[in-house]
Amino acid sequence: MPASVTDEQNRLLRSWLGPFRVVKDYSWPLQDTSVLHVSTPDGAGFIVKASTTSHHIRREIAALAPGLPGPHGTTPVLRQASVE
């Protein structure tokens, strides 16, 4: 797990996803934002974003919470979120 993901964030992710592994790290270190492609043992893939200081996370959660329009299966779906 990248150092920018806190122990608390890691615990929260594991409570939501169960065991997972990082497939690719797309983090933006200058922005204090971790962006990770993770996968679970059953083959499910997720993009995880985490930050300890970025105010943008709150806006992203608010924007994605109602869902995005588009063809079924081709747009991201917000599965879990925590502003903390």
Side-chain angles (χ1 to χ4, degrees):
M1 187 62 54
S4 57
V5 176
T6 67
D7 290 342
E8 182 60 31
Q9 289 169 334
N10 191 27
R11 280 191 291 278
L12 186 58
L13 288 171
R14 291 193 185 282
S15 76
W16 289 338
L17 301 176
F20 65 87
R21 70 178 180 87
V22 176
V23 175
K24 182 95 173 153
D25 187 341
Y26 297 101
S27 298
W28 308 333
L30 296 176
Q31 297 290 324
D32 181 39
T33 302
S34 294
V35 181
L36 307 171
H37 174 192
V38 302
S39 68
T40 58
D42 64 358
F46 300 93
I47 298 297
V48 172
K49 291 185 82 175
S51 177
T52 56
T53 62
S54 177
H55 63 280
H56 298 291
I57 295 291
R58 290 178 187 274
R59 291 192 312 205
E60 290 183 47
I61 292 170
L64 293 171
L68 297 172
H72 177 70
T74 62
T75 56
V77 174
L78 180 64
R79 299 289 179 112
Q80 298 284 349
S82 172
V83 295
E84 288 81 32

